[in-house]
Amino acid sequence: MNTLEPTGTAALLAYLDGRQTRWRITLDAAVDAAGDDPRARLLAVFDALREWACGSSVDGFRSNAFIQAQYESDHPHGVVRAVVAQHKRTLRDRMLALAEATGTPDPGLLVDQLLLVYEGSTVNHSLGTVAEAAAKAHRTARQLIAAATPQPLDAFWAGRA
């Protein structure tokens, strides 16, 4: 049973579309700012996440709007769930393209690991259960990327890239 009225669902979908657009702009800017190192470009997902967390008083990271929307829609095959799933697939696809450029032998595994860190960070930030969740997720992501890629650990590993 959908707990939202049709007008509520339409408003929620419009809100999610706006969130998706704002996130994509933030992510694109972070990836562009990361330079040419493919590891830094993949890590830029977590740069964007930190920026989103710092901007939480505006609209960013108070909660995971996509998961909350799915919960509120309460319908496993509804349009809200489809929109939420598409957003998550879009993020995974973007991260996969970035991971493939790093030369990692298993980009799919790396992305799945990073997504688990990403999602865990958003939930723990919104619940307040982990202090500085986005910063800790960033450090964890850097370690995962460094361990999974064939380039020397150099400046990237040390946190200077």
Side-chain angles (χ1 to χ4, degrees):
M1 178 172 115
N2 190 331
T3 60
L4 297 172
E5 297 297 322
T7 56
T9 299
L12 179 59
L13 292 173
Y15 171 75
L16 292 176
D17 183 56
R19 289 275 300 217
Q20 169 76 347
T21 299
R22 288 186 297 280
W23 168 247
R24 190 173 52 249
I25 290 167
T26 301
L27 179 57
D28 289 347
V31 171
D32 289 345
D36 295 331
D37 184 332
R39 298 168 300 177
R41 292 175 62 81
L42 177 57
L43 185 62
V45 172
F46 291 86
D47 295 333
L49 186 65
R50 281 192 312 196
E51 182 178 331
W52 200 252
C54 292
S56 64
S57 61
V58 175
D59 180 41
F61 205 49
R62 287 186 305 264
S63 66
N64 190 324
F66 290 89
I67 299 304
Q68 185 66 31
Q70 180 181 337
Y71 171 75
E72 288 181 16
S73 75
D74 196 30
H75 193 284
H77 303 292
V79 66
V80 173
R81 181 179 171 88
V83 167
V84 169
Q86 182 56 47
H87 168 70
K88 299 299 181 183
R89 280 191 298 273
T90 298
L91 177 59
R92 186 181 192 287
D93 291 347
R94 178 75 186 276
M95 290 174 72
L96 184 60
L98 292 166
E100 287 170 344
T102 69
T104 182
D106 193 346
L109 175 61
L110 176 58
V111 168
D112 289 345
Q113 292 169 330
L114 292 172
L115 282 172
L116 291 169
V117 171
Y118 175 96
E119 294 296 340
S121 173
T122 62
V123 169
N124 283 286
H125 176 85
S126 67
L127 293 174
T129 53
V130 174
E132 301 178 13
K136 290 174 181 170
H138 190 278
R139 286 192 296 273
T140 302
R142 179 183 299 278
Q143 291 171 344
L144 286 168
I145 294 165
T149 55
Q151 293 92 349
L153 297 181
D154 59 25
F156 183 82
W157 177 257
R160 294 187 301 268

